[in-house]
Amino acid sequence: MNVPLPDVPEVRVVGLPQLTSGFDLVERLDLTMHLKVHGPLEPMTGERLAELAEAISLCGRGGAGFPFGRKLRAVAKASIRRGVRPVVVINGSEGEPACRKDTVLLNRAPHLILDGALLAAEALGARTLVVAVTRNSTEISVRAALAERGLSDRRGQQLRARVVRTPERMVSGEASAVIRAASGGPALPPGRRERAAEAGVGGAPTLLSNAETYAQLAVAARIGPRRYGHTGLPDEPGTVLLTVSGSVSRPMVIEVPTGVPLRYVLQLAGAPPLPQGVLTGGYHGNWIDAEAAHDAVVSVRSLAAVGGALGAGAILPIAPGTCPLGESLRIANWLAAETAGQCGPCKLGLPAAAGGLSDVLNGGGPAALAALREVTQAVKGRGACKHPDGSARFLSSTLSAFTDDLAAHVLDGGCGRDTLGVLPLPAPGYQDLEESIPSGGKLAVDWTLCQGHALCADIVPELIRLGPDGYPALADAAVPMHLRGRAERAVRRCPALALRIEQAPMERPALPGAQRKALGSGRG
């Protein structure tokens, strides 16, 4: 079973709404309704805006949590030093299947996000605004919002604004990938670490922040730091948006003040009273157990204290009736297929790690577990972007959180439970067919024919490695497009005709002509 989250799930609020004000009145706040609900917004100088961000302890809400005030000051200094106008970027690329908070804001309150970004653009003297989006619905909403404000990418305007469409992929939402896409390149990390504040879009100093971050800035600019600080915890004031899914009866996006007990949030979504684990921070996050979930409150500090992470605000409990390692294997396979194909830890390490976890679940015993720990450790800290580190963190957390289940699989051959597929993944065929994304097929071996020639492992070691017996062990992940050619060559080279590529049961659905045209026109 796999039930993908809708673009805009149910939205709830605990306490007084801030980001979600007006959601009870209309489905989408156009500019007129936005101004009625939130009121006008006065411009601010760069120094005042930085002081405001620091007064409310505003940090990025996309997962990294970098202080917004420091980022704003760094861009301003680089712009003055170089004599170059900066660029402001809204990162609304939400490619993780368990996250919908930014999609909800972009669809229902796009002008609140634009408010914060335009405040920053005016304070910095920027002349370019870029909005990066992932989904068709968000692109339509943002384009409509820009039109309502009279903003476009036409020459001669004081501020040129444009929308960049990125693929629905984990790596495409990474800051460097968004900047690369906004500069006209592929939506993939560039393979080297660069500071956007120094050289981002088109080489200009760039202020890039998550969509919710700009919306929080707009709320604080209207009500002031003192009133903003009346909500939530003193050291982490305000509200946060959470996406709650997994083993819940009502998947939802919920706005809550910091300090609200996590157990109350789970209860609102219909989670089991005693989940066997709660994944916090999404698929680059950490598992916590039921006791920790009961004791924690919604805050960066509280979740970190119990081994969790707020990250991008995804919260996913799983019920006792499903195998947690099987659920994690589904995610590990997806993370492996999301590789950008640009560095060894991602291109080789993640498929090997996913294959290692599969070996553990399929009776590999202590040797398989030791191999999995080794490859997971080898991936850490060596990638060209944050995807390998985040994926390794997820796998390490899985092994630490479910020790009883791990022992059952390693020592007794299994835990006796099926994998129900409660953690959301995209529907088959969700991605554009382009380089380095899954092709939809998987390698498979006919064991009645395989004679252990081992030629296949030499041709495509990213997906096939040799087991202790000399026979191939396959990564249980879709073949990425950048490896498709070599995978097909490995199939042709098999002297026993034992290797094949099995296509996914569902092909990518054809898009209606109008939607296909809209998708094509959204590329930046």
Side-chain angles (χ1 to χ4, degrees):
M1 180 187 76
N2 175 43
V3 182
L5 291 176
D7 276 14
V8 183
E10 177 185 355
V11 178
R12 295 285 300 274
V13 61
V14 175
L16 296 176
Q18 292 189 163
L19 301 174
T20 58
S21 292
F23 281 22
D24 57 332
L25 303 175
V26 291
E27 282 299 309
R28 177 184 181 276
L29 280 74
D30 61 14
L31 183 57
T32 301
M33 181 58 74
H34 168 74
L35 292 174
K36 286 182 180 178
V37 170
H38 292 283
L41 185 59
E42 297 296 324
M44 303 175 70
T45 65
E47 182 59 29
R48 281 190 60 208
L49 198 60
E51 289 174 352
L52 171 66
E54 289 163 353
I56 65 171
S57 302
L58 180 60
C59 293
R61 301 299 177 93
F66 193 84
F68 184 84
R70 283 172 54 191
K71 188 183 295 186
L72 187 69
R73 291 182 190 278
V75 173
K77 289 178 181 178
S79 178
I80 293 170
R81 185 180 69 253
R82 295 179 53 195
V84 177
R85 293 274 188 182
V87 176
V88 173
V89 178
I90 299 170
N91 188 0
S93 295
E94 200 167 39
E96 183 171 344
C99 292
R100 286 296 185 273
K101 68 179 183 68
D102 294 325
T103 301
V104 164
L105 280 179
L106 288 163
N107 274 280
R108 300 196 61 181
H111 288 286
L112 196 61
I113 300 166
L114 289 177
D115 276 349
L118 292 172
L119 267 180
E122 185 163 355
L124 291 169
R127 293 291 180 263
T128 303
L129 172 66
V130 179
V131 188
V133 297
T134 296
R135 298 180 175 88
N136 198 38
S137 62
T138 51
E139 180 179 358
I140 291 170
S141 177
V142 170
R143 288 190 182 279
L146 292 176
E148 288 163 6
R149 288 177 180 256
L151 294 172
S152 72
D153 198 25
R154 293 177 184 171
R155 292 175 181 246
Q157 293 198 114
Q158 185 177 6
L159 177 73
R160 297 179 64 175
R162 57 190 171 94
V163 178
V164 171
R165 181 73 175 266
T166 61
E168 191 175 340
R169 299 199 54 213
M170 191 79 162
V171 294
S172 296
E174 205 262 346
S176 63
V178 170
I179 288 173
R180 196 175 179 192
S183 300
L188 294 172
R192 60 188 181 278
R193 302 292 176 96
E194 293 181 341
R195 291 188 63 208
E198 293 289 336
V201 177
T206 298
L207 178 69
L208 182 146
S209 260
N210 165 263
E212 184 194 341
T213 311
Y214 285 114
Q216 294 282 2
L217 185 67
V219 169
R222 280 187 168 89
I223 66 177
R226 186 171 181 177
R227 184 175 160 197
Y228 187 95
H230 288 166
T231 300
L233 298 170
D235 58 340
E236 295 181 41
T239 66
V240 296
L241 283 180
L242 304 174
T243 310
V244 188
S245 62
S247 295
V248 297
S249 58
R250 301 170 65 186
M252 63 177 60
V253 168
I254 179 169
E255 182 181 12
V256 299
T258 55
V260 167
L262 181 59
R263 64 181 180 275
Y264 181 65
V265 173
L266 295 173
Q267 181 183 351
L268 280 178
L274 288 175
Q276 57 177 326
V278 179
L279 181 57
T280 60
Y283 295 159
H284 277 176
N286 295 318
W287 290 100
I288 60 175
D289 60 24
E291 182 179 357
H294 183 273
D295 295 339
V297 301
V298 176
S299 82
V300 172
R301 181 172 298 182
S302 174
L303 286 171
V306 295
L310 185 59
I315 305 293
L316 301 105
I318 56 170
T322 188
C323 172
L325 298 180
E327 293 288 346
S328 296
L329 176 60
R330 294 173 60 248
I331 306 308
N333 286 333
W334 179 80
L335 290 170
E338 287 291 285
T339 172
Q342 298 182 133
C343 69
C346 199
K347 184 178 176 182
L348 303 175
L350 296 188
L357 182 57
S358 178
D359 289 347
V360 170
L361 266 66
N362 290 314
L369 178 58
L372 172 58
R373 293 189 190 279
E374 183 178 349
V375 71
T376 301
Q377 187 62 35
V379 165
K380 294 179 181 178
R382 298 175 54 230
C385 73
K386 297 176 183 176
H387 183 55
D389 282 353
S391 302
R393 180 166 52 249
F394 169 79
L395 283 165
S396 297
S397 176
T398 298
L399 299 182
S400 300
F402 302 110
T403 52
D404 290 346
D405 297 272
L406 192 62
H409 281 277
V410 171
L411 302 176
D412 299 329
C415 66
R417 287 172 291 178
D418 292 331
T419 300
L420 303 180
V422 299
L423 299 181
L425 286 174
Y430 73 103
Q431 290 167 316
D432 297 325
L433 294 180
E434 59 181 82
E435 184 179 3
S436 81
I437 68 174
S439 67
K442 286 186 177 182
L443 286 170
V445 173
D446 184 341
W447 297 110
T448 64
L449 299 176
C450 181
Q451 299 174 16
H453 292 98
L455 297 178
C456 54
D458 292 335
I459 297 172
V460 60
E462 297 91 337
L463 299 174
I464 305 173
R465 55 192 175 85
L466 296 182
D469 56 1
Y471 281 80
L474 307 183
D476 187 18
V479 178
M481 285 299 292
H482 73 279
L483 297 179
R484 179 77 185 199
R486 280 198 282 146
E488 290 173 344
R489 189 160 73 250
V491 170
R492 292 194 298 269
R493 285 277 300 277
C494 179
L497 304 180
L499 188 66
R500 63 183 184 273
I501 297 178
E502 292 184 341
Q503 293 302 316
M506 293 181 62
E507 296 299 329
R508 184 169 189 219
L511 294 172
Q515 189 176 359
R516 187 164 57 247
K517 182 178 179 182
L519 284 167
S521 65
R523 296 281 173 191

